[in-house]
Amino acid sequence: MIHIYNKGNNDNTLLLLHGTGGNENDLLDIGKLIDSNANVLSVRGNILENGMPRFFKRLKEGVFDLDDLEFRTKELNEFVEKMSKEYGFKRDKVIAIGYSNGANIAGSLLFQIANSLAGAILLRPMVPRRDFKLPNLDGSKVFISAGLYDSICPKDESIELDNLLRKAKAEVHLNWVDANHRLTYNELEVARDWYNNNFKKES
Ligand code: MLT
């Protein structure tokens, strides 16, 4: 997969996953804000929708192609495994930071593959799918940032996602933002504080 890897000087690796129409450059500044000492693996989605990169196909806005989602989730997990060997980062210390479509594939990694992520910062995520029994997510830490007026990722869906992850024993922090689908600087600072409390940084 097309990607950027920047080596850091602690054990954590931030897996950066952009939104629809974005690319591997989009979340680099957010990664720096969250943990400027972590390794960064920033990946471009393998799907093109009218020229816009995404991480999996959709049938229409908000309706996902579940077969493709399953395939792409596995593909991304295998890519992270391979890169961890190639670049020498710790596979069990990967924390995803995803926005919108990127948050949805990060959510899908949590739903589909046990131990694929140590944690995740999900910015404007949806429920990736409803047809899977989630693995035991005991020990996984998840920050959800949801917009109160987000028409793409409606409020009820954020609550549903929070419930599903909690039922699977993840530790979830649901952060409500007075915003729509666009991110605010303030919520990224809240995400950074949550990260600092949950993922000790050893520089
Ligand atoms: C998706 O397709 O993943 C969601 O609708 C969010 C987005 O618009 O990318």
Side-chain angles (χ1 to χ4, degrees):
M1 297 180 83
I2 297 173
H3 68 281
I4 293 171
Y5 181 75
N6 293 327
K7 189 169 166 29
N9 52 26
N10 69 29
D11 276 349
N12 294 340
T13 298
L14 304 179
L15 173 64
L16 306 183
L17 304 163
H18 62 79
T20 298
N23 64 42
E24 64 281 11
N25 294 299
D26 289 10
L27 268 59
L28 292 175
D29 285 346
I30 293 178
K32 232 177 241 157
L33 177 86
I34 302 288
D35 184 354
S36 58
N37 290 313
N39 306 309
V40 167
L41 178 64
S42 190
V43 184
R44 187 187 301 185
N46 259 350
I47 293 298
L48 278 181
E49 180 187 274
N50 302 322
M52 297 186 297
R54 286 176 53 84
F55 287 95
F56 54 89
K57 289 184 196 156
R58 61 181 164 183
L59 306 176
K60 58 178 184 178
E61 167 103 32
V63 183
F64 301 157
D65 177 333
L66 295 180
D67 289 339
D68 191 61
L69 176 58
E70 185 170 354
F71 176 80
R72 298 292 164 194
T73 301
K74 198 161 163 272
E75 178 184 56
L76 178 60
N77 185 58
E78 283 166 4
F79 177 73
V80 174
E81 301 268 0
K82 192 168 164 231
M83 292 304 101
S84 77
K85 290 184 189 117
E86 203 163 306
Y87 293 122
F89 63 80
K90 296 194 172 167
R91 180 64 189 89
D92 61 348
K93 298 234 175 199
V94 174
I95 300 130
I97 303 178
Y99 168 61
S100 192
N101 182 246
N104 294 338
I105 190 106
S108 182
L109 279 169
L110 290 166
F111 271 46
Q112 188 174 319
I113 303 172
N115 304 318
S116 54
L117 297 172
I121 295 178
L122 305 178
L123 306 166
R124 305 293 185 280
M126 296 167 70
V127 174
R129 62 193 310 144
R130 294 179 173 82
D131 56 341
F132 272 7
K133 185 176 169 354
L134 274 65
N136 185 340
L137 293 173
D138 197 8
S140 304
K141 294 163 181 186
V142 183
F143 179 92
I144 299 174
S145 206
L148 283 167
Y149 319 110
D150 190 340
S151 56
I152 297 173
C153 305
K155 221 177 139 185
D156 288 353
E157 197 147 334
S158 308
I159 294 168
E160 188 185 348
L161 179 62
D162 177 56
N163 284 334
L164 288 168
L165 291 168
R166 277 175 203 277
K167 258 193 218 145
K169 299 200 163 43
E171 263 176 60
V172 191
H173 181 87
L174 175 56
N175 178 55
W176 288 108
V177 190
D178 194 18
N180 52 24
H181 201 60
R182 275 176 77 116
L183 296 177
T184 65
Y185 187 72
N186 179 261
E187 74 191 283
L188 299 175
E189 290 186 315
V190 177
R192 180 195 56 201
D193 293 347
W194 171 87
Y195 176 95
N196 284 340
N197 288 332
N198 286 283
F199 296 97
K200 196 166 176 281
K201 294 190 281 180
E202 292 141 27
S203 303

